[in-house]
Amino acid sequence: MRGALRRAWWARALVLVLVVAGGHAALTLVDYDPRPLGWALLATTVTALLWLVLDATGTRAAGWDASLPPFVRPDASEDTAHSRVLDGHLDSREPGPALRDRLVALARSRDPDLADPGLRELASQPVRRLTPDEIDRHLTRIEALRERRST
């Protein structure tokens, strides 16, 4: 890449020298008697502008791609439903069986026999308010079931 770029600039420099020398010779032949420095500056400016226009029009439009697509959780609606059940359980005066039933169903999906004694006890006890620590403990046990199942 570097060599190709260098060759392109050498070719442009050669073209510029030929334009300046050839233009000066042509203007001298028709008796315009150009000043060499003024003519060289004019020819360089016009040639550089022409190359700038050619370089700008010869490329395709710039496109900006995001490096990573935006993250969309496939289970966002499920999380919302779980959080509604959890919030409803913690905020209600008399909690219903929804949270307990979801925890038990999640545990049974990991272990249909409910071998864990804490989760088996949760499934058999009557409906009561679970504390955040109890909910965390049950979720930790359910996650442990998943890890045992995957190994």
Side-chain angles (χ1 to χ4, degrees):
M1 176 75 180
R2 222 169 159 176
L5 189 60
R6 187 173 293 152
R7 279 191 299 273
W9 278 105
W10 278 112
R12 285 185 177 194
L14 180 64
V15 167
L16 180 61
V17 167
L18 291 175
V19 166
V20 169
H24 190 273
L27 289 173
T28 304
L29 284 176
V30 292
D31 271 341
Y32 269 120
D33 198 27
R35 289 182 277 183
L37 183 60
W39 167 247
L41 286 174
L42 177 66
T44 302
T45 303
V46 170
T47 306
L49 286 174
L50 179 66
W51 283 332
L52 179 65
V53 168
L54 290 175
D55 287 346
T57 59
T59 61
R60 60 183 175 89
W64 300 96
D65 294 331
S67 60
L68 294 174
F71 179 71
V72 177
R73 291 186 56 147
D75 59 346
S77 62
E78 185 177 317
D79 284 349
T80 307
H82 290 314
S83 97
R84 275 196 314 263
V85 169
L86 182 60
D87 291 341
H89 178 82
L90 294 174
D91 294 339
S92 67
R93 288 184 186 173
E94 292 185 30
L99 179 62
R100 183 198 64 190
D101 292 346
R102 285 209 185 204
L103 289 172
V104 170
L106 187 58
R108 285 191 195 279
S109 72
R110 307 265 200 266
D111 179 19
D113 300 329
L114 278 184
D116 186 277
L119 295 172
R120 197 170 343 130
E121 179 186 337
L122 175 68
S124 63
Q125 65 184 224
V127 176
R128 67 176 182 83
R129 182 179 311 278
L130 297 172
T131 66
D133 288 336
E134 288 176 312
I135 296 168
D136 183 54
R137 192 173 336 111
H138 291 307
L139 287 172
T140 303
R141 287 179 168 178
I142 292 169
E143 286 299 314
L145 289 174
R146 185 179 76 173
E147 289 173 7
R148 273 187 255 145
R149 186 174 159 194
S150 66
T151 56

